[in-house]
Amino acid sequence: MTDHTPDQAPTGPSPTGHPGAHPAVSVVLPGQGETIALGTTRMRVLEDGTTTGHRIGFAESVLAPHTPGPPQHRHAQHDEGFYILSGTVRFTVGHDSHDAPAGTLVVVPPGAPHTFANVTDQPAVMLSTFTPGRYVQYFRDLQDMLTDGRPLTPEANVAAMSPYATHPATDFPAAPPT
């Protein structure tokens, strides 16, 4: 895919800082992308930050029915966004719960306590954004724990969050039971 013909070469520096150079473009087609299996959740990494200089990452997650979420937590250094594509996802923010049906956008800024779960009898699919995109590695770390035979307990999840400036929101309850 090109964005110009040879006689329309760009002038001046490109976003990469090199005159006439083009930044990388990522195209992830259906069925492509890295798959991360986390128990009853399947995540498809669409952009891990490699193409964007880690400014943003994207993932599509399928939550099976009655999938509990992570312990309620806070991110110190990144925003997280969730767009519900199908099904309903329950977001718990502090003491408040919000059922988010398809078409709902939830944006969590740094410092906001939150978790999510699928408490329904139907699968739910959501598109997530992470700014910056380095947080995608957290999900790989969780998968590695499971691959190594370690159970994905709340304590193990909290330990995996720590290197990514994410900590449990101990002043709020855990995810609601499913």
Side-chain angles (χ1 to χ4, degrees):
M1 179 165 97
T2 60
D3 60 352
H4 70 279
T5 58
D7 60 339
Q8 297 172 323
T11 58
S14 73
T16 62
H18 302 291
H22 293 281
V25 172
S26 175
V27 177
V28 181
L29 298 173
Q32 294 180 337
E34 172 188 3
T35 299
I36 297 176
L38 301 172
T40 58
T41 298
R42 296 287 178 265
M43 176 180 276
R44 182 168 69 114
V45 177
L46 304 170
E47 171 59 54
D48 67 357
T50 302
T51 304
T52 66
H54 294 285
R55 290 181 306 277
I56 191 166
F58 292 93
E60 175 189 69
S61 297
V62 179
L63 285 69
H66 304 284
T67 295
Q72 194 160 176
H73 57 279
R74 291 182 171 96
H75 304 292
Q77 299 177 350
H78 76 275
D79 297 272
E80 196 168 27
F82 305 90
Y83 183 75
I84 310 308
L85 297 168
S86 66
T88 299
V89 178
R90 176 167 295 160
F91 288 87
T92 302
V93 181
H95 294 292
D96 300 322
S97 291
H98 308 274
D99 286 342
T104 301
L105 174 68
V106 176
V107 178
V108 180
H114 67 286
T115 189
F116 58 87
N118 180 358
V119 299
T120 74
D121 293 330
Q122 300 299 315
V125 181
M126 62 184 180
L127 176 69
S128 300
T129 60
F130 314 99
T131 56
R134 287 183 286 278
Y135 193 68
V136 172
Q137 185 60 41
Y138 158 72
F139 300 105
R140 292 178 180 134
D141 293 350
L142 289 179
Q143 180 176 253
D144 290 346
M145 288 171 49
L146 290 170
T147 301
D148 291 344
R150 293 177 281 164
L152 192 54
T153 64
E155 295 79 17
N157 201 319
V158 166
M161 290 176 178
S162 183
Y164 304 99
T166 300
H167 304 285
T170 56
D171 49 336
F172 293 103
T178 57

